[in-house]
Amino acid sequence: MKLAVVGGGSTYTPELIDGFARLRDTLPIGELVLIDPAADRLKLVGGLARRIFARQGHPGTITTTSDLDAGVADADAVLLQLRVGGQAARQQDETWPLECGCVGQETTGAGGLAKALRTVPVVLDIAERVRRTNPNAWIIDFTNPVGIVTRALLQAGHKAVGLCNVAITLQRQFASLLDVPPSELHLDHVGLNHLTWELGVRRGGPDGEDLLPRLLAEHADAVAADLRLPRAVLDRLGVVPSYYLKYFYTHDEVVRELGEKPSRAAEVAAMERELLAMYGDPALDEKPALLAKRGGAFYSEAAVDLAAALLGDGGSPVSSIQVVNTLNNGTLPFLADDAVIEVQARVDRSGPVPLAVPRLDPLYAGLIAHVTAYEDLALDAALRGGRERVAKALLAHPLVGQFDLAEGLTDRLLAHNKEHLAWA
């Protein structure tokens, strides 16, 4: 089995490598190719990756290349984890919206739109090159904003599935609080990427006992603290929203906090410099503890589970029910079939099929529909460009929604992203 990782020079990659090494019986990789235009980073990350495989006795080979076409040739799956513009672009996404009193975040609001505009054309170009080289390869997208990027891939006819680590992270946190093995917990996870709610926490599978009432009764303070949301939000909802709902439920407070401290991008950039220095140590042969603060917790386990299900022969020990980003196809009846949703799905070699979802409370359905409308316009702007399309997408976003505000954000977005947007 051959896997290729586009963006293999990311500081995330050792987390992925560690999972591939530990779970090699689940996903027996013969060759792993790390692809990245940044040769210096690729050399450091590739060296550590080989040492991790060697330490854990993985028999597979790891190669590195800056040649995308050669790297993805004959790959069974291609994992995308790139960041167009790097941390410098993220720093801007997180700061200029604050000038307008809006949240500065890399996947939500105006900053998220900027990232989508930069990213979608690049990902589609990569996917077309994968298709020319190997049309049967699965594309697993971990690149944010996952929902919009996955929709772009599927709309263009690619064999693609979107992946996020929010659900698996919550599953592990809940399992620890409830003292239950993570493998026994099934989340009734519903919504869009970075806009989801856990409507149930079931033991033993989709039809198992719902432990959510117990979780909220006994551990609501701990859950709220992890989500950085007031306990009162959980009490009112009676379900667990994702961490990203804080940008909607406590928007103004978050904006105030963001204006008083260094950006997350600045923190990550400093962390990356330290990590890359560690990766260059030839004695290091395991992922460093600092990597846990970088983000992407349990990303490797989610990626292994998904790739194993997509590439397996049906005899894989991995459960085929997983949280993915895929086409709605009637799952949420208030959305178009070609919308991309994030839900539990049954996954096999033919791809994901969403599990049935009960009728959603208007409190959730309304916000999902609103953000999906924004994503429709955001994807149109990413594919066709133009100031008017950008302004319409921002006007449609529930965190913007005012004409003058959308106009001001549009001006700033275009000014800060000219080098990445050919049409601007």
Side-chain angles (χ1 to χ4, degrees):
M1 181 186 298
K2 176 180 176 180
L3 264 64
V5 180
V6 179
S10 168
T11 53
Y12 269 135
T13 300
E15 161 69 23
L16 190 63
I17 299 300
D18 178 72
F20 287 161
R22 288 186 292 102
L23 303 172
R24 56 185 175 272
D25 291 338
T26 299
L27 189 68
I29 299 171
E31 181 182 1
L32 179 64
V33 184
L34 305 181
I35 306 166
D36 203 294
D40 52 344
R41 293 171 64 109
L42 194 58
K43 181 179 180 180
L44 295 173
V45 174
L48 175 57
R50 294 186 188 96
R51 295 193 297 272
I52 291 173
F53 262 31
R55 173 178 177 149
Q56 299 197 30
H58 195 295
T61 61
I62 296 178
T63 58
T64 60
T65 182
S66 296
D67 186 333
L68 176 69
D69 296 321
V72 301
D74 301 320
D76 296 289
V78 178
L79 200 154
L80 307 180
Q81 55 169 38
L82 57 137
R83 182 183 293 279
V84 179
Q87 294 298 331
R90 178 179 180 175
Q91 167 72 12
Q92 297 200 11
D93 293 344
E94 294 180 351
T95 51
W96 58 260
L98 296 174
E99 298 170 6
C100 297
C102 292
V103 65
Q105 211 278 329
E106 63 164 339
T107 63
T108 301
L113 176 60
K115 192 172 197 302
L117 297 177
R118 295 193 304 267
T119 304
V120 166
V122 174
V123 166
L124 288 179
D125 176 68
I126 292 169
E128 286 297 332
R129 293 166 69 178
V130 171
R131 181 154 57 187
R132 289 198 301 267
T133 305
N134 183 12
N136 294 318
W138 277 102
I139 295 176
I140 298 173
D141 179 60
F142 192 68
T143 297
N144 281 318
V146 168
I148 295 174
V149 172
T150 302
R151 184 168 181 178
L153 289 166
L154 291 170
Q155 185 171 293
H158 297 288
K159 291 178 61 177
V161 183
L163 177 66
C164 181
N165 69 316
V166 167
I168 192 171
T169 300
L170 289 175
Q171 179 203 45
R172 301 304 173 89
Q173 291 173 346
F174 297 166
S176 176
L177 291 171
L178 295 168
D179 194 23
V180 174
S183 61
E184 293 187 15
L185 284 188
H186 171 97
L187 303 184
D188 292 342
H189 181 97
V190 180
L192 310 176
N193 180 243
H194 290 181
L195 193 87
T196 52
W197 295 264
E198 310 307 324
L199 306 184
V201 179
R202 301 186 182 277
R203 185 168 190 167
D207 300 318
E209 176 192 5
D210 188 4
L211 302 181
L212 179 59
R214 175 186 155 199
L215 178 73
L216 293 177
E218 298 177 2
H219 305 289
D221 287 336
V223 173
D226 284 338
L227 299 174
R228 299 181 190 176
L229 278 168
R231 160 74 185 266
V233 174
L234 273 65
D235 293 340
R236 174 64 56 84
L237 298 181
V239 302
V240 179
S242 83
Y243 166 84
Y244 288 88
L245 265 298
K246 75 174 187 176
Y247 299 115
F248 294 81
Y249 293 154
T250 59
H251 174 273
D252 293 352
E253 181 180 348
V254 169
V255 169
R256 285 193 295 272
E257 291 175 352
L258 291 175
E260 297 171 353
K261 64 180 183 179
S263 68
R264 174 63 178 165
E267 294 176 355
V268 171
M271 202 178 303
E272 285 197 333
R273 289 190 292 270
E274 189 174 352
L275 284 169
L276 288 169
M278 292 179 177
Y279 295 171
D281 180 358
L284 183 68
D285 57 5
E286 59 184 348
K287 64 176 183 180
L290 178 62
L291 188 55
K293 298 180 180 180
R294 170 66 178 83
F298 309 112
Y299 159 42
S300 60
E301 284 88 342
V304 167
D305 287 355
L306 180 54
L310 292 171
L311 304 176
D313 58 6
S316 170
V318 176
S319 170
S320 63
I321 297 177
Q322 299 163 40
V323 172
V324 297
N325 284 261
T326 191
L327 291 174
N328 178 46
N329 282 337
T331 307
L332 301 181
F334 54 88
L335 298 183
D337 285 348
D338 65 351
V340 166
I341 59 176
E342 185 172 289
V343 292
Q344 293 278 6
R346 193 172 298 279
V347 185
D348 59 22
R349 291 177 65 89
S350 63
V353 176
L355 301 185
V357 173
R359 181 181 180 276
L360 291 184
D361 187 296
L363 182 62
Y364 315 125
L367 187 52
I368 290 171
H370 196 161
V371 175
T372 298
Y374 151 75
E375 290 188 347
D376 290 347
L377 295 168
L379 181 55
D380 185 47
L383 293 173
R384 298 199 290 162
R387 186 189 187 283
E388 183 176 356
R389 293 188 181 92
V390 173
K392 284 182 176 179
L394 286 169
L395 188 58
H397 200 292
L399 296 182
V400 181
Q402 300 177 65
F403 181 80
D404 289 343
L405 185 55
E407 291 293 304
L409 288 166
T410 298
D411 289 338
R412 286 169 171 78
L413 186 156
L414 296 180
H416 285 283
N417 287 275
K418 284 184 178 180
E419 65 180 296
H420 301 293
L421 306 177
W423 50 267

